[in-house]
Structure formats: structure tokens, C-alpha cells
Coordinates of all heavy atoms in Angstrom, one line a residue:
M15 N -54.2 -78.1 -108.6 CA -52.8 -78.1 -108.2 C -52.1 -76.9 -108.9 O -52.3 -76.7 -110.1 CB -52.1 -79.4 -108.7 CG -50.7 -79.5 -108.4 SD -49.9 -81.1 -108.6 CE -49.7 -81.1 -110.3
T16 N -51.3 -76.2 -108.2 CA -50.6 -75.0 -108.8 C -49.1 -75.3 -108.8 O -48.5 -75.8 -107.9 CB -50.8 -73.8 -107.9 OG1 -52.2 -73.5 -107.7 CG2 -50.1 -72.6 -108.4
T17 N -48.5 -75.1 -110.0 CA -47.1 -75.3 -110.2 C -46.5 -73.9 -110.4 O -46.9 -73.2 -111.3 CB -46.9 -76.2 -111.4 OG1 -47.5 -77.4 -111.2 CG2 -45.4 -76.5 -111.6
E18 N -45.5 -73.6 -109.6 CA -44.7 -72.4 -109.8 C -43.5 -72.7 -110.5 O -42.7 -73.5 -110.1 CB -44.4 -71.8 -108.4 CG -44.0 -70.4 -108.5 CD -43.9 -69.7 -107.1 OE1 -44.9 -69.8 -106.4 OE2 -42.9 -69.0 -106.9
Y19 N -43.3 -71.9 -111.6 CA -42.1 -72.1 -112.4 C -41.3 -70.8 -112.4 O -41.7 -69.8 -113.0 CB -42.5 -72.5 -113.9 CG -41.4 -72.9 -114.7 CD1 -41.0 -74.3 -114.7 CD2 -40.7 -72.1 -115.6 CE1 -39.9 -74.7 -115.5 CE2 -39.7 -72.5 -116.4 CZ -39.3 -73.8 -116.4 OH -38.3 -74.3 -117.2
G20 N -40.2 -70.8 -111.7 CA -39.4 -69.6 -111.5 C -38.0 -69.8 -112.1 O -37.7 -70.7 -112.9
L21 N -37.1 -68.8 -111.6 CA -35.8 -68.8 -112.1 C -35.0 -70.1 -111.8 O -34.3 -70.6 -112.7 CB -35.0 -67.6 -111.5 CG -35.5 -66.2 -111.9 CD1 -34.7 -65.2 -111.2 CD2 -35.4 -66.0 -113.4
K22 N -35.2 -70.6 -110.6 CA -34.5 -71.9 -110.3 C -34.9 -73.0 -111.2 O -34.0 -73.7 -111.7 CB -34.9 -72.2 -108.8 CG -34.1 -73.3 -108.2 CD -34.5 -73.5 -106.7 CE -33.5 -74.4 -106.0 NZ -33.9 -74.6 -104.6
E23 N -36.1 -73.1 -111.5 CA -36.6 -74.2 -112.4 C -36.1 -74.0 -113.8 O -35.7 -74.9 -114.5 CB -38.1 -74.3 -112.4 CG -38.7 -74.8 -111.1 CD -38.8 -73.8 -110.0 OE1 -38.6 -72.6 -110.3 OE2 -38.9 -74.2 -108.8
M24 N -36.1 -72.7 -114.3 CA -35.5 -72.4 -115.6 C -34.1 -72.8 -115.7 O -33.6 -73.3 -116.7 CB -35.7 -70.9 -115.9 CG -37.1 -70.5 -116.2 SD -37.3 -68.7 -116.5 CE -36.3 -68.5 -117.9
E25 N -33.3 -72.4 -114.7 CA -31.9 -72.8 -114.7 C -31.6 -74.3 -114.7 O -30.7 -74.7 -115.3 CB -31.1 -72.1 -113.6 CG -31.0 -70.6 -113.8 CD -30.2 -69.8 -112.8 OE1 -29.9 -70.4 -111.7 OE2 -29.8 -68.7 -113.0
Q26 N -32.5 -75.0 -114.0 CA -32.3 -76.4 -114.0 C -32.6 -77.0 -115.4 O -31.9 -78.0 -115.8 CB -33.3 -77.1 -112.9 CG -32.8 -76.9 -111.5 CD -33.9 -77.4 -110.5 OE1 -35.0 -77.6 -110.9 NE2 -33.5 -77.5 -109.3
E27 N -33.5 -76.5 -116.0 CA -33.9 -77.0 -117.3 C -33.0 -76.5 -118.5 O -32.7 -77.2 -119.4 CB -35.4 -76.6 -117.6 CG -36.0 -77.3 -118.9 CD -37.5 -77.2 -119.0 OE1 -38.1 -76.9 -117.9 OE2 -37.9 -77.3 -120.1
Y28 N -32.6 -75.2 -118.4 CA -31.9 -74.6 -119.6 C -30.5 -74.2 -119.3 O -29.8 -73.7 -120.1 CB -32.7 -73.4 -120.0 CG -34.1 -73.7 -120.5 CD1 -35.2 -73.3 -119.8 CD2 -34.3 -74.3 -121.7 CE1 -36.5 -73.6 -120.2 CE2 -35.6 -74.6 -122.2 CZ -36.6 -74.3 -121.4 OH -37.9 -74.6 -121.8
G29 N -30.0 -74.4 -118.1 CA -28.6 -74.0 -117.7 C -28.7 -72.6 -117.1 O -29.7 -72.0 -116.9
P30 N -27.5 -72.1 -116.8 CA -27.4 -70.8 -116.1 C -28.0 -69.7 -116.9 O -27.8 -69.6 -118.1 CB -25.9 -70.6 -116.0 CG -25.2 -71.9 -116.2 CD -26.2 -72.7 -117.0
L31 N -28.9 -68.9 -116.2 CA -29.5 -67.8 -116.8 C -28.6 -66.6 -116.7 O -28.2 -66.2 -115.6 CB -30.8 -67.5 -116.1 CG -31.7 -66.4 -116.8 CD1 -32.0 -66.8 -118.3 CD2 -33.0 -66.3 -116.0
T32 N -28.1 -66.1 -117.8 CA -27.2 -65.0 -117.8 C -27.9 -63.7 -118.0 O -29.1 -63.7 -118.4 CB -26.1 -65.1 -118.9 OG1 -26.8 -65.1 -120.1 CG2 -25.4 -66.5 -118.7
F33 N -27.2 -62.6 -117.8 CA -27.8 -61.3 -118.0 C -28.2 -61.2 -119.5 O -29.3 -60.8 -119.8 CB -26.8 -60.2 -117.7 CG -27.4 -58.8 -117.8 CD1 -28.0 -58.2 -116.7 CD2 -27.4 -58.1 -119.0 CE1 -28.6 -56.9 -116.7 CE2 -28.0 -56.8 -119.1 CZ -28.6 -56.3 -117.9
G34 N -27.3 -61.6 -120.4 CA -27.6 -61.5 -121.8 C -28.8 -62.4 -122.2 O -29.6 -61.9 -123.0
K35 N -28.9 -63.6 -121.7 CA -30.0 -64.5 -122.1 C -31.3 -63.9 -121.6 O -32.3 -63.9 -122.3 CB -29.8 -65.9 -121.5 CG -28.8 -66.7 -122.2 CD -28.7 -68.1 -121.5 CE -27.6 -68.9 -122.0 NZ -27.5 -70.2 -121.3
A36 N -31.3 -63.3 -120.4 CA -32.5 -62.7 -119.8 C -32.9 -61.5 -120.6 O -34.1 -61.3 -120.9 CB -32.3 -62.4 -118.3
L37 N -31.9 -60.7 -121.0 CA -32.2 -59.5 -121.8 C -32.8 -59.8 -123.1 O -33.8 -59.2 -123.6 CB -30.9 -58.7 -121.9 CG -31.1 -57.2 -122.4 CD1 -31.9 -56.4 -121.4 CD2 -29.7 -56.6 -122.6
E38 N -32.2 -60.8 -123.8 CA -32.7 -61.2 -125.1 C -34.1 -61.8 -125.0 O -35.0 -61.5 -125.8 CB -31.7 -62.3 -125.7 CG -32.2 -62.7 -127.1 CD -31.2 -63.7 -127.7 OE1 -30.4 -64.3 -127.0 OE2 -31.3 -63.9 -128.9
A39 N -34.3 -62.6 -124.0 CA -35.6 -63.2 -123.8 C -36.7 -62.1 -123.5 O -37.8 -62.2 -124.0 CB -35.6 -64.2 -122.6
H40 N -36.3 -61.1 -122.7 CA -37.3 -60.0 -122.5 C -37.6 -59.3 -123.8 O -38.7 -59.0 -124.1 CB -36.7 -59.0 -121.4 CG -37.6 -57.9 -121.1 ND1 -38.6 -58.0 -120.2 CD2 -37.7 -56.6 -121.6 CE1 -39.3 -56.9 -120.2 NE2 -38.7 -56.0 -121.0
R41 N -36.5 -59.0 -124.5 CA -36.7 -58.3 -125.8 C -37.6 -59.0 -126.7 O -38.6 -58.5 -127.3 CB -35.4 -58.0 -126.5 CG -35.5 -57.4 -127.9 CD -34.2 -57.1 -128.5 NE -33.4 -58.3 -128.8 CZ -33.6 -59.2 -129.8 NH1 -34.6 -59.0 -130.7 NH2 -32.8 -60.2 -130.0
K42 N -37.4 -60.3 -126.9 CA -38.2 -61.2 -127.8 C -39.6 -61.3 -127.3 O -40.5 -61.3 -128.0 CB -37.5 -62.5 -128.0 CG -36.3 -62.4 -128.8 CD -35.6 -63.8 -129.0 CE -34.5 -63.7 -130.0 NZ -33.8 -65.0 -130.2
G43 N -39.8 -61.4 -125.9 CA -41.1 -61.4 -125.4 C -41.9 -60.2 -125.6 O -43.1 -60.2 -125.8
E44 N -41.2 -59.1 -125.8 CA -41.9 -57.8 -126.1 C -42.0 -57.6 -127.6 O -42.5 -56.6 -128.1 CB -41.1 -56.6 -125.5 CG -41.1 -56.6 -124.0 CD -42.4 -56.3 -123.4 OE1 -43.2 -55.5 -123.9 OE2 -42.7 -57.0 -122.4
E45 N -41.5 -58.6 -128.4 CA -41.6 -58.6 -129.8 C -40.9 -57.4 -130.4 O -41.5 -56.7 -131.3 CB -43.0 -58.8 -130.3 CG -43.6 -60.1 -129.9 CD -45.0 -60.3 -130.3 OE1 -45.7 -59.3 -130.9 OE2 -45.5 -61.4 -130.2
M46 N -39.7 -57.1 -130.0 CA -38.9 -55.9 -130.5 C -37.7 -56.4 -131.2 O -37.1 -57.4 -130.8 CB -38.5 -55.0 -129.3 CG -39.6 -54.2 -128.7 SD -38.9 -53.0 -127.6 CE -39.8 -53.4 -126.1
T47 N -37.3 -55.6 -132.1 CA -36.0 -55.8 -132.8 C -34.9 -55.3 -131.9 O -35.2 -54.5 -130.9 CB -35.9 -55.1 -134.1 OG1 -35.9 -53.7 -133.9 CG2 -37.0 -55.5 -135.1
Q48 N -33.7 -55.7 -132.2 CA -32.6 -55.2 -131.4 C -32.5 -53.6 -131.5 O -32.2 -52.9 -130.5 CB -31.2 -55.8 -131.8 CG -31.0 -57.2 -131.2 CD -29.7 -57.7 -131.6 OE1 -29.0 -57.4 -132.6 NE2 -29.2 -58.6 -130.7
K49 N -32.8 -53.1 -132.7 CA -32.7 -51.7 -132.9 C -33.8 -51.0 -132.1 O -33.4 -50.0 -131.4 CB -32.9 -51.4 -134.4 CG -32.8 -49.9 -134.7 CD -33.0 -49.6 -136.2 CE -32.8 -48.1 -136.4 NZ -33.0 -47.8 -137.8
Q50 N -35.0 -51.5 -132.0 CA -36.0 -50.9 -131.2 C -35.7 -50.9 -129.8 O -35.9 -49.9 -129.0 CB -37.4 -51.6 -131.5 CG -37.9 -51.4 -132.9 CD -39.1 -52.4 -133.1 OE1 -39.1 -53.6 -132.7 NE2 -40.1 -52.0 -133.9
F51 N -35.2 -52.1 -129.3 CA -34.9 -52.2 -127.9 C -33.8 -51.4 -127.5 O -33.7 -50.8 -126.4 CB -34.7 -53.7 -127.6 CG -34.8 -54.1 -126.1 CD1 -35.9 -53.6 -125.3 CD2 -33.9 -54.9 -125.5 CE1 -36.0 -54.0 -124.0 CE2 -34.0 -55.3 -124.2 CZ -35.0 -54.8 -123.4
A52 N -32.7 -51.3 -128.3 CA -31.6 -50.5 -128.0 C -32.0 -49.0 -127.9 O -31.4 -48.3 -127.0 CB -30.5 -50.6 -129.2
E53 N -32.9 -48.6 -128.7 CA -33.4 -47.2 -128.6 C -34.0 -46.9 -127.2 O -33.8 -45.9 -126.6 CB -34.4 -46.8 -129.7 CG -33.7 -46.6 -131.1 CD -34.7 -46.4 -132.2 OE1 -35.8 -45.9 -131.9 OE2 -34.3 -46.6 -133.3
I54 N -34.8 -47.9 -126.8 CA -35.4 -47.7 -125.5 C -34.4 -47.7 -124.4 O -34.5 -46.9 -123.4 CB -36.4 -48.9 -125.2 CG1 -37.7 -48.7 -126.2 CG2 -36.9 -49.0 -123.8 CD1 -38.6 -49.9 -126.2
L55 N -33.4 -48.5 -124.5 CA -32.3 -48.6 -123.5 C -31.3 -47.4 -123.6 O -30.5 -47.2 -122.6 CB -31.6 -49.9 -123.6 CG -32.4 -51.2 -123.3 CD1 -31.5 -52.4 -123.5 CD2 -33.0 -51.1 -121.9
G56 N -31.3 -46.7 -124.7 CA -30.4 -45.6 -124.9 C -29.0 -46.1 -125.2 O -28.0 -45.4 -124.8
I57 N -28.9 -47.2 -125.9 CA -27.6 -47.8 -126.3 C -27.6 -48.1 -127.7 O -28.7 -48.1 -128.4 CB -27.2 -49.0 -125.4 CG1 -28.2 -50.2 -125.7 CG2 -27.1 -48.7 -124.0 CD1 -27.8 -51.5 -125.0
T58 N -26.5 -48.4 -128.3 CA -26.5 -48.8 -129.7 C -26.9 -50.2 -129.9 O -26.8 -51.0 -129.0 CB -25.0 -48.6 -130.3 OG1 -24.2 -49.6 -129.7 CG2 -24.5 -47.2 -130.1
P59 N -27.4 -50.5 -131.1 CA -27.8 -51.9 -131.4 C -26.6 -52.9 -131.2 O -26.7 -54.0 -130.7 CB -28.3 -51.9 -132.8 CG -28.8 -50.5 -133.0 CD -27.9 -49.7 -132.2
S60 N -25.4 -52.4 -131.6 CA -24.2 -53.3 -131.4 C -23.9 -53.5 -129.9 O -23.5 -54.6 -129.5 CB -23.0 -52.7 -132.1 OG -22.6 -51.5 -131.6
S61 N -24.1 -52.5 -129.1 CA -23.9 -52.7 -127.6 C -24.9 -53.7 -127.1 O -24.6 -54.6 -126.3 CB -24.0 -51.4 -126.9 OG -22.9 -50.6 -127.2
L62 N -26.2 -53.6 -127.5 CA -27.2 -54.5 -127.1 C -26.8 -55.9 -127.5 O -26.9 -56.9 -126.8 CB -28.5 -54.1 -127.7 CG -29.7 -55.1 -127.4 CD1 -29.9 -55.3 -125.9 CD2 -31.0 -54.6 -128.1
C63 N -26.4 -56.1 -128.8 CA -26.0 -57.4 -129.3 C -24.8 -58.0 -128.4 O -24.9 -59.2 -128.0 CB -25.5 -57.3 -130.7 SG -25.1 -58.9 -131.5
D64 N -23.9 -57.2 -128.1 CA -22.8 -57.6 -127.2 C -23.3 -58.1 -125.8 O -22.8 -59.1 -125.3 CB -21.7 -56.5 -127.0 CG -20.8 -56.3 -128.2 OD1 -20.8 -57.2 -129.1 OD2 -20.2 -55.3 -128.3
L65 N -24.2 -57.3 -125.3 CA -24.8 -57.7 -124.0 C -25.6 -59.1 -124.1 O -25.4 -60.0 -123.3 CB -25.8 -56.6 -123.5 CG -25.1 -55.4 -123.0 CD1 -26.2 -54.3 -122.7 CD2 -24.3 -55.6 -121.7
E66 N -26.4 -59.2 -125.1 CA -27.2 -60.4 -125.3 C -26.3 -61.6 -125.6 O -26.7 -62.7 -125.1 CB -28.2 -60.2 -126.5 CG -29.3 -59.3 -126.2 CD -30.4 -59.2 -127.3 OE1 -30.2 -59.7 -128.4 OE2 -31.4 -58.5 -127.1
K67 N -25.3 -61.5 -126.3 CA -24.4 -62.6 -126.6 C -23.4 -62.9 -125.5 O -22.6 -63.8 -125.6 CB -23.7 -62.4 -127.9 CG -24.6 -62.2 -129.1 CD -25.4 -63.4 -129.3 CE -26.4 -63.2 -130.5 NZ -27.5 -64.2 -130.5
G68 N -23.4 -62.1 -124.4 CA -22.4 -62.3 -123.3 C -21.0 -61.8 -123.6 O -20.1 -62.2 -122.8
R69 N -20.8 -61.1 -124.7 CA -19.5 -60.6 -125.0 C -19.1 -59.4 -124.0 O -17.9 -59.1 -123.8 CB -19.4 -60.1 -126.4 CG -19.5 -61.3 -127.4 CD -19.2 -60.8 -128.8 NE -20.3 -60.0 -129.3 CZ -21.3 -60.4 -130.2 NH1 -21.3 -61.7 -130.5 NH2 -22.2 -59.6 -130.6
R70 N -20.1 -58.8 -123.5 CA -19.9 -57.7 -122.5 C -20.9 -58.0 -121.3 O -22.0 -58.4 -121.5 CB -20.3 -56.4 -123.1 CG -19.3 -56.0 -124.2 CD -19.3 -54.6 -124.6 NE -18.6 -53.9 -123.5 CZ -18.4 -52.6 -123.5 NH1 -18.8 -51.9 -124.4 NH2 -17.8 -52.1 -122.5
I71 N -20.4 -57.7 -120.1 CA -21.2 -57.8 -118.9 C -21.4 -56.4 -118.4 O -20.4 -55.7 -118.2 CB -20.5 -58.7 -117.9 CG1 -20.3 -60.1 -118.4 CG2 -21.3 -58.7 -116.6 CD1 -19.4 -61.0 -117.5
P72 N -22.6 -56.0 -118.1 CA -22.8 -54.7 -117.7 C -22.3 -54.5 -116.2 O -22.3 -55.4 -115.4 CB -24.3 -54.5 -117.7 CG -24.9 -55.9 -117.5 CD -23.9 -56.8 -118.2
S73 N -22.0 -53.3 -115.9 CA -21.6 -52.9 -114.5 C -22.9 -53.1 -113.7 O -24.0 -53.1 -114.3 CB -21.1 -51.5 -114.4 OG -22.1 -50.6 -114.7
V74 N -22.8 -53.1 -112.4 CA -23.9 -53.2 -111.5 C -24.8 -52.0 -111.7 O -26.0 -52.1 -111.8 CB -23.4 -53.3 -110.0 CG1 -24.6 -53.1 -109.1 CG2 -22.7 -54.6 -109.8
K75 N -24.2 -50.8 -111.9 CA -25.0 -49.6 -112.1 C -25.8 -49.6 -113.4 O -26.9 -49.3 -113.5 CB -24.0 -48.4 -112.1 CG -24.7 -47.0 -112.1 CD -23.7 -45.9 -112.0 CE -24.4 -44.5 -112.0 NZ -23.4 -43.5 -111.8
R76 N -25.1 -50.1 -114.5 CA -25.8 -50.2 -115.8 C -26.9 -51.3 -115.7 O -27.9 -51.1 -116.3 CB -24.8 -50.5 -116.9 CG -25.3 -50.4 -118.2 CD -24.2 -50.6 -119.3 NE -24.7 -50.3 -120.6 CZ -24.1 -50.6 -121.7 NH1 -22.9 -51.1 -121.7 NH2 -24.6 -50.3 -122.9
A77 N -26.6 -52.4 -115.1 CA -27.6 -53.4 -115.0 C -28.9 -52.9 -114.3 O -30.0 -53.2 -114.7 CB -27.1 -54.6 -114.2
A78 N -28.7 -52.1 -113.2 CA -29.8 -51.5 -112.4 C -30.6 -50.5 -113.3 O -31.8 -50.5 -113.3 CB -29.3 -50.8 -111.2
K79 N -29.8 -49.7 -114.1 CA -30.5 -48.8 -115.0 C -31.3 -49.5 -116.1 O -32.4 -49.0 -116.4 CB -29.4 -47.9 -115.6 CG -30.0 -46.8 -116.5 CD -28.9 -45.9 -117.1 CE -29.6 -44.9 -118.0 NZ -28.6 -44.1 -118.7
I80 N -30.8 -50.5 -116.6 CA -31.5 -51.3 -117.6 C -32.8 -51.9 -117.0 O -33.9 -51.8 -117.6 CB -30.6 -52.4 -118.2 CG1 -29.6 -51.8 -119.2 CG2 -31.5 -53.4 -119.0 CD1 -28.5 -52.7 -119.6
A81 N -32.7 -52.4 -115.8 CA -33.8 -53.0 -115.1 C -34.9 -51.9 -114.9 O -36.1 -52.2 -115.2 CB -33.4 -53.6 -113.8
R82 N -34.5 -50.8 -114.4 CA -35.5 -49.7 -114.2 C -36.1 -49.2 -115.5 O -37.3 -49.0 -115.6 CB -34.8 -48.4 -113.6 CG -34.5 -48.6 -112.1 CD -34.1 -47.2 -111.5 NE -33.0 -46.6 -112.2 CZ -31.7 -46.9 -111.9 NH1 -31.4 -47.7 -110.9 NH2 -30.7 -46.2 -112.5
T83 N -35.3 -49.2 -116.6 CA -35.8 -48.7 -117.9 C -36.9 -49.7 -118.4 O -37.9 -49.2 -119.0 CB -34.7 -48.6 -118.9 OG1 -33.7 -47.7 -118.4 CG2 -35.2 -48.1 -120.3
I84 N -36.7 -51.0 -118.2 CA -37.7 -51.9 -118.7 C -38.7 -52.3 -117.7 O -39.6 -53.2 -117.9 CB -37.0 -53.2 -119.3 CG1 -36.2 -53.9 -118.3 CG2 -36.2 -52.8 -120.5 CD1 -35.6 -55.2 -118.8
G85 N -38.7 -51.7 -116.5 CA -39.7 -51.9 -115.5 C -39.6 -53.3 -114.8 O -40.6 -53.8 -114.4
M86 N -38.4 -53.7 -114.6 CA -38.1 -55.0 -114.0 C -37.4 -54.8 -112.7 O -36.9 -53.8 -112.4 CB -37.3 -55.9 -114.9 CG -38.0 -56.2 -116.3 SD -39.5 -57.1 -116.2 CE -38.9 -58.7 -115.8
S87 N -37.3 -55.9 -111.9 CA -36.6 -55.9 -110.6 C -35.1 -55.6 -110.7 O -34.4 -56.4 -111.4 CB -36.8 -57.3 -109.9 OG -35.9 -57.4 -108.8
E88 N -34.7 -54.5 -110.1 CA -33.3 -54.2 -110.1 C -32.5 -55.3 -109.5 O -31.4 -55.7 -110.0 CB -33.0 -52.9 -109.4 CG -33.5 -51.7 -110.1 CD -33.1 -50.4 -109.4 OE1 -32.0 -50.3 -108.8 OE2 -34.0 -49.5 -109.4
K89 N -32.9 -55.8 -108.4 CA -32.2 -56.9 -107.6 C -31.9 -58.1 -108.5 O -30.8 -58.6 -108.5 CB -33.0 -57.3 -106.4 CG -33.0 -56.4 -105.3 CD -33.7 -57.0 -104.1 CE -33.7 -56.0 -102.9 NZ -34.4 -56.6 -101.7
T90 N -32.9 -58.5 -109.3 CA -32.7 -59.7 -110.1 C -31.7 -59.4 -111.2 O -30.8 -60.2 -111.5 CB -34.1 -60.1 -110.7 OG1 -35.0 -60.4 -109.7 CG2 -34.0 -61.3 -111.7
W91 N -31.8 -58.3 -111.9 CA -30.9 -58.0 -113.0 C -29.5 -57.7 -112.6 O -28.6 -58.1 -113.2 CB -31.5 -56.9 -113.9 CG -32.7 -57.3 -114.6 CD1 -34.0 -57.5 -114.1 CD2 -32.8 -57.8 -115.9 NE1 -34.8 -58.0 -115.1 CE2 -34.1 -58.3 -116.2 CE3 -31.8 -57.9 -117.0 CZ2 -34.5 -58.8 -117.4 CZ3 -32.2 -58.4 -118.2 CH2 -33.6 -58.9 -118.4
V92 N -29.4 -57.1 -111.4 CA -28.0 -56.9 -110.8 C -27.4 -58.2 -110.5 O -26.2 -58.5 -110.7 CB -28.1 -55.9 -109.6 CG1 -26.8 -56.0 -108.8 CG2 -28.4 -54.5 -110.1
K93 N -28.3 -59.1 -109.9 CA -27.8 -60.5 -109.6 C -27.3 -61.2 -110.8 O -26.2 -61.8 -110.8 CB -28.9 -61.3 -109.0 CG -28.5 -62.8 -108.7 CD -29.7 -63.7 -109.0 CE -29.3 -65.1 -108.8 NZ -29.2 -65.9 -110.0
F94 N -28.0 -61.1 -112.0 CA -27.5 -61.7 -113.2 C -26.1 -61.2 -113.6 O -25.2 -61.9 -114.0 CB -28.5 -61.4 -114.4 CG -29.8 -62.1 -114.3 CD1 -30.9 -61.5 -114.8 CD2 -30.0 -63.4 -113.6 CE1 -32.2 -62.2 -114.7 CE2 -31.2 -64.0 -113.6 CZ -32.3 -63.4 -114.1
A95 N -26.0 -59.8 -113.5 CA -24.7 -59.2 -113.9 C -23.6 -59.7 -113.0 O -22.5 -60.0 -113.5 CB -24.8 -57.7 -113.9
I96 N -23.8 -59.7 -111.7 CA -22.8 -60.1 -110.7 C -22.4 -61.5 -110.9 O -21.3 -61.9 -110.9 CB -23.2 -59.8 -109.3 CG1 -23.3 -58.3 -109.0 CG2 -22.3 -60.5 -108.3 CD1 -23.9 -57.9 -107.7
Q97 N -23.5 -62.4 -111.1 CA -23.2 -63.8 -111.3 C -22.4 -64.0 -112.6 O -21.5 -64.9 -112.6 CB -24.5 -64.6 -111.4 CG -24.3 -66.1 -111.3 CD -23.7 -66.6 -110.0 OE1 -24.3 -66.3 -108.9 NE2 -22.6 -67.2 -110.1
D98 N -22.7 -63.3 -113.7 CA -21.9 -63.4 -114.9 C -20.4 -63.0 -114.6 O -19.5 -63.6 -115.1 CB -22.4 -62.5 -116.0 CG -23.7 -63.0 -116.6 OD1 -24.1 -64.1 -116.2 OD2 -24.4 -62.2 -117.3
M99 N -20.2 -61.9 -113.8 CA -18.8 -61.5 -113.5 C -18.1 -62.6 -112.7 O -16.9 -62.9 -112.9 CB -18.8 -60.2 -112.6 CG -19.3 -59.0 -113.4 SD -19.4 -57.6 -112.2 CE -20.6 -56.6 -113.1
I100 N -18.8 -63.3 -111.8 CA -18.2 -64.4 -111.0 C -17.9 -65.5 -111.9 O -16.8 -66.1 -111.8 CB -19.2 -64.8 -109.9 CG1 -19.3 -63.7 -108.8 CG2 -18.8 -66.1 -109.3 CD1 -20.4 -63.9 -107.8
R101 N -18.8 -65.9 -112.8 CA -18.5 -67.0 -113.8 C -17.3 -66.7 -114.7 O -16.4 -67.5 -114.9 CB -19.7 -67.2 -114.7 CG -20.7 -68.2 -114.2 CD -21.7 -68.6 -115.3 NE -23.0 -68.7 -114.6 CZ -23.9 -67.9 -114.6 NH1 -23.8 -66.8 -115.3 NH2 -25.0 -68.0 -114.0
E102 N -17.2 -65.4 -115.1 CA -16.1 -65.0 -116.0 C -14.8 -65.1 -115.2 O -13.8 -65.4 -115.8 CB -16.3 -63.5 -116.4 CG -15.3 -63.0 -117.4 CD -15.6 -61.6 -117.9 OE1 -15.5 -60.7 -117.1 OE2 -15.8 -61.5 -119.1
A103 N -14.8 -64.9 -113.9 CA -13.6 -65.0 -113.1 C -13.3 -66.5 -112.7 O -12.3 -66.7 -112.0 CB -13.7 -64.2 -111.8
E104 N -14.2 -67.4 -113.2 CA -14.0 -68.8 -112.9 C -14.0 -69.1 -111.5 O -13.3 -70.0 -111.0 CB -12.8 -69.4 -113.6 CG -12.9 -69.2 -115.1 CD -11.7 -69.8 -115.9 OE1 -10.7 -70.2 -115.2 OE2 -11.7 -69.7 -117.1
L105 N -14.9 -68.5 -110.7 CA -15.1 -68.7 -109.3 C -16.3 -69.5 -109.1 O -17.3 -69.5 -109.9 CB -15.2 -67.4 -108.5 CG -13.9 -66.5 -108.6 CD1 -14.2 -65.1 -108.0 CD2 -12.8 -67.2 -108.0
E106 N -16.4 -70.3 -108.0 CA -17.5 -71.2 -107.7 C -18.4 -70.6 -106.7 O -18.7 -71.2 -105.7 CB -17.0 -72.5 -107.3 CG -16.2 -73.3 -108.3 CD -17.0 -73.7 -109.5 OE1 -18.2 -74.1 -109.3 OE2 -16.5 -73.7 -110.6
Y107 N -18.9 -69.4 -106.9 CA -19.8 -68.7 -106.0 C -21.2 -68.5 -106.6 O -21.2 -68.4 -107.8 CB -19.3 -67.3 -105.5 CG -18.0 -67.4 -104.8 CD1 -16.9 -66.7 -105.4 CD2 -17.8 -68.0 -103.6 CE1 -15.6 -66.8 -104.8 CE2 -16.5 -68.1 -103.0 CZ -15.5 -67.4 -103.6 OH -14.2 -67.4 -103.0
N108 N -22.2 -68.5 -105.8 CA -23.6 -68.2 -106.3 C -24.1 -67.0 -105.6 O -24.0 -66.9 -104.4 CB -24.5 -69.4 -106.2 CG -24.2 -70.5 -107.1 OD1 -24.0 -70.2 -108.3 ND2 -24.1 -71.7 -106.6
V109 N -24.7 -66.1 -106.4 CA -25.3 -64.9 -105.8 C -26.8 -65.2 -105.6 O -27.5 -65.8 -106.5 CB -25.2 -63.7 -106.8 CG1 -25.9 -62.5 -106.2 CG2 -23.7 -63.4 -107.0
S110 N -27.3 -64.9 -104.4 CA -28.7 -65.1 -104.2 C -29.4 -63.7 -103.9 O -28.7 -62.8 -103.4 CB -29.0 -66.0 -103.0 OG -28.5 -65.5 -101.8
V111 N -30.6 -63.6 -104.3 CA -31.4 -62.4 -104.0 C -32.4 -62.7 -103.0 O -33.2 -63.6 -103.1 CB -32.1 -61.9 -105.3 CG1 -32.9 -60.7 -105.1 CG2 -31.0 -61.6 -106.4
A112 N -32.4 -61.9 -101.9 CA -33.3 -62.1 -100.8 C -34.6 -61.5 -101.1 O -34.8 -60.6 -101.8 CB -32.7 -61.6 -99.5

């Protein structure tokens, strides 16, 4: 028996997956400090901390650039950023990635 555990299942178990939570999880999975990861992304450690803690939401362009830099799906990371913007505006919409 094969069990597929994806984003939908993660969100059901842990709540909404935000750009910041995904970024922090990726960084920790790579066993990097914020300083090391910020250098790779070309941003300051304080900017990375703000992104990870959800104090700042990246623009769509910045989210795509971050995704490319870490070799991940641009569509997924842009979706996280847009969904965070929608939540911040207190709207009841969901973004899906085809």
C-alpha cells in the first residue's frame, strides 16, 4: 500500500501552510542557519526572519525568485505568497495550483 502525503494532508494536520512556514521548514531541512540561508537568498538575516515569522509577505516576483534560488517549484511558492496576502486581507478565497 502506498500513502501519498502532500500539501493538502500537511495543512489538514498542521493548519495553513504559509510562505514563512514553508521557507523555515526548507531551511531547517537543509540544516542551515538563518545567516547561511539568507546569504544564499541574497537577503539579510533579519529579512529572512521577517519572512519566516510572517511579519512580511514577499511579492509574487520575490516569491518566484526565492523558489528559483532554492530549486523549488515557482508555482507552489507563489501560491503560498498569494494565499498569505489573501489571508492578510481577511478574505475567504483559496488559491489552487494546477
Side-chain angles (χ1 to χ4, degrees):
M15 181 169 82
T16 303
T17 303
E18 191 170 315
Y19 192 83
L21 294 177
K22 190 175 189 179
E23 291 78 15
M24 284 177 64
E25 287 186 345
Q26 287 174 346
E27 191 168 337
Y28 299 107
L31 187 56
T32 65
F33 187 93
K35 286 180 186 177
L37 195 61
E38 182 178 17
H40 180 82
R41 174 181 64 79
K42 288 181 175 179
E44 295 294 318
E45 298 180 351
M46 284 190 235
T47 65
Q48 282 186 330
K49 183 177 179 183
Q50 292 168 324
F51 198 47
E53 285 179 20
I54 289 168
L55 297 178
I57 61 176
T58 65
S60 63
S61 290
L62 175 58
C63 184
D64 285 344
L65 288 171
E66 287 185 354
K67 299 299 179 195
R69 292 186 291 259
R70 297 197 72 176
I71 299 170
S73 67
V74 169
K75 187 174 182 177
R76 188 174 189 192
K79 182 179 178 184
I80 288 171
R82 281 192 306 275
T83 302
I84 61 176
M86 302 296 285
S87 164
E88 287 182 41
K89 286 182 180 182
T90 299
W91 289 79
V92 166
K93 176 218 178 245
F94 290 149
I96 292 171
Q97 192 64 58
D98 288 351
M99 291 174 202
I100 291 169
R101 269 191 221 102
E102 185 177 66
E104 297 179 0
L105 299 172
E106 297 293 325
Y107 302 116
N108 286 312
V109 178
S110 64
V111 176

